[in-house]
Amino acid sequence: MALRALLLTSAAVLLILIHRMSAADPSSCRAVWLFKMACSQPRAAVVEQVKAWSSRQCYDSEGEECSYQIVTEAPGYVEIKHTNLSSQKSTALNFTFKPPDVPSFCSMRGLSTTAPPGGSSPYCVLHNLVNGSGLTQEAGFREICNAAMCPSMDVTACGAA
Ligand SMILES: *[C@@H]1O[C@H](CO)[C@@H](O)[C@H](O)[C@H]1NC(C)=O
Ligand SMILES: *[C@@H]1O[C@H](CO)[C@@H](O)[C@H](O)[C@H]1NC(C)=O
Ligand SMILES: *[C@@H]1O[C@H](CO)[C@@H](O)[C@H](O)[C@H]1NC(C)=O
């Protein structure tokens, strides 16, 4: 009985989450990445990649793998800013890492919002960073994202041309 109630509650919570996610507008994107490792590792990889790309100059042909900047850093949270050098439009993005102290599981949630019109794809701004930091190759890597969560989701538009 208790289990059934729990399952029903979980299903209801999931439905509410999916509904909320589908309300996303084209200028924003949210995605979740899962890993079989402590959150300290993906967090360090993201921060290191942002720093590596902070001083690089690049343009559209290079898939914008540059011009990222750390805004705020906290143990379970990193806030970043990306600027599209062609349009000078910026994208605000952040990552939340949970749970803090589990050795073999991490859920990393990413959110991004681009100032429209003429800005970068909010999905690509997240994707390029996750891919560029090598996290897509890590143990247990899974990306949870769809067109409802990210209307701008289109990997072919993200890569270096
Ligand atoms: C994280 O980024 C999203 C999208 O840009 C923004 O809506 C949200 O307020 C940010 N979160 C925090 C805590 O700043
Ligand atoms: C950067 O902005 C330009 C001009 O608005 C746009 O055409 C281009 O697609 C953007 N770059 C990316 C990778 O989104
Ligand atoms: C991911 O990064 C690798 C290596 O930096 C690059 O060769 C590849 O094109 C990228 N893939 C996507 C889908 O962005």
Side-chain angles (χ1 to χ4, degrees), residues 77 79 92-94 111-113:
Y77 179 75
E79 199 173 313
L93 61 152
N94 52 55
L111 296 170
S112 66
T113 304

Side-chain angles (χ1 to χ4, degrees), residues 63 121 123-124 127-128 131 143 145 150 152-160:
S121 146
Y123 173 75
C124 293
H127 168 85
N128 287 348
N131 184 55
E143 177 177 271
C145 186
C150 298
S152 56
M153 185 182 185
D154 177 8
V155 177
T156 58
C158 303

Side-chain angles (χ1 to χ4, degrees), residues 1-152:
M1 208 49 188
L3 180 64
R4 214 185 137 175
L6 186 68
L7 285 176
L8 283 175
T9 311
S10 311
V13 168
L14 201 63
L15 281 177
I16 290 167
L17 278 177
I18 288 170
H19 180 72
R20 276 216 208 136
M21 284 167 172
S22 66
D25 70 288
S27 66
S28 73
C29 173
R30 62 178 73 203
V32 175
W33 298 272
L34 305 178
F35 303 95
K36 285 184 178 148
M37 58 175 70
C39 277
S40 54
Q41 290 184 58
R43 185 188 173 284
V46 164
V47 168
E48 196 183 309
Q49 198 57 54
V50 168
K51 289 182 176 165
W53 283 350
S54 64
S55 54
R56 247 190 103 204
Q57 297 277 310
C58 69
Y59 290 90
D60 291 343
S61 60
E62 295 166 86
E64 291 195 292
E65 293 179 340
C66 68
S67 200
Y68 283 81
Q69 194 185 324
I70 301 277
V71 177
T72 311
E73 244 190 272
Y77 179 75
V78 181
E79 199 173 313
I80 300 159
K81 182 181 159 182
H82 173 263
T83 307
N84 177 320
L85 292 176
S86 316
S87 65
Q88 290 299 317
K89 294 285 166 88
S90 63
T91 303
L93 61 152
N94 52 55
F95 294 95
T96 306
F97 301 86
K98 281 179 185 164
D101 294 316
V102 174
S104 58
F105 177 73
C106 183
S107 158
M108 171 171 106
R109 189 175 71 138
L111 296 170
S112 66
T113 304
T114 292
S120 304
S121 146
Y123 173 75
C124 293
V125 169
L126 292 172
H127 168 85
N128 287 348
L129 190 55
V130 171
N131 184 55
S133 61
L135 285 172
T136 50
Q137 310 299 316
E138 292 293 356
F141 174 83
R142 257 188 74 198
E143 177 177 271
I144 301 169
C145 186
N146 57 39
M149 293 160 75
C150 298
S152 56

